[in-house]
Amino acid sequence: MIVLVGFMGAGKSTVGPLLAAGLGLPFADLDQVIERQQGRPVRDIFAAGGEAAFRAVEHEALASFLAGPDAVLALGGGAVEHPASQRLLRPVSAVLPVVYLEVGYDEALRRVGGDSGRPMLASPDLAGIYRRRLAGYEAVATLTVATGGRPARAVCDEVMAGLTRLERAGYSH
């Protein structure tokens, strides 16, 4: 299992499939898993119950997925803010790779634009949310790769090289 974390627009859903293909693993985006399980879009879950309700659903989906077969799993940008999800990821990062795809705030916004499927874009303090989440990403990461201004293939290649180094240090995937 390899878990990708990072702010929206970091490239998790773009780099993830490339990484999965290179490793011969399936790829899953946790938001899409949740949408299938719940039968409605993430934005509707947010609208109906707020962020706290969504994070609880997200936590359950994450716990279930981590117990399953190996895959490359991209998490939503805020998954690391839920304390129970962060606790799930910390032990995982001690044994399996959690890759933090790091992106600057301005570039993240350029990449996601006005995507109406991203409820957090409507937050009045998005820059504050970004800054707050950085510590969560760093807390769970076993590998950090900068994505700013780089093509997805180059990021994927760097992740692969980093995974090879982690494997030599005793991590598996």
Side-chain angles (χ1 to χ4, degrees), residues 42-100:
V42 167
R43 69 178 173 275
D44 291 353
I45 300 169
F46 260 81
E51 184 176 2
F54 173 73
R55 295 293 170 216
V57 168
E58 181 181 55
H59 170 72
E60 292 303 317
L62 175 60
S64 175
F65 205 93
L66 290 177
D70 279 349
V72 174
L73 176 64
L75 302 188
V80 298
E81 287 196 298
H82 190 277
S85 292
Q86 198 175 95
R87 282 191 299 275
L88 277 178
L89 291 169
R90 280 188 175 158
V92 167
S93 67
V95 183
L96 298 171
V98 175
V99 180
Y100 167 27

Side-chain angles (χ1 to χ4, degrees), residues 15-38:
V15 172
L18 295 173
L19 182 61
L23 296 171
L25 294 172
F27 171 74
D29 181 304
L30 193 60
D31 283 350
Q32 291 174 358
V33 170
I34 291 166
E35 287 179 343
R36 281 192 303 276
Q37 289 174 346
Q38 298 291 311

Side-chain angles (χ1 to χ4, degrees), residues 30 34 77 124 133 147 165:
L30 193 60
I34 291 166
R133 288 181 179 175
T147 67
R165 286 190 305 274

Side-chain angles (χ1 to χ4, degrees), residues 7-8 51 55 81 105 109 118-134 137:
F7 199 66
M8 64 179 140
E51 184 176 2
R55 295 293 170 216
E81 287 196 298
Y105 179 73
L109 290 186
R118 298 179 185 265
M120 295 307 292
L121 283 175
S123 175
D125 185 27
L126 190 56
I129 291 168
Y130 170 83
R131 286 188 302 275
R132 185 178 71 231
R133 288 181 179 175
L134 294 178
Y137 303 140

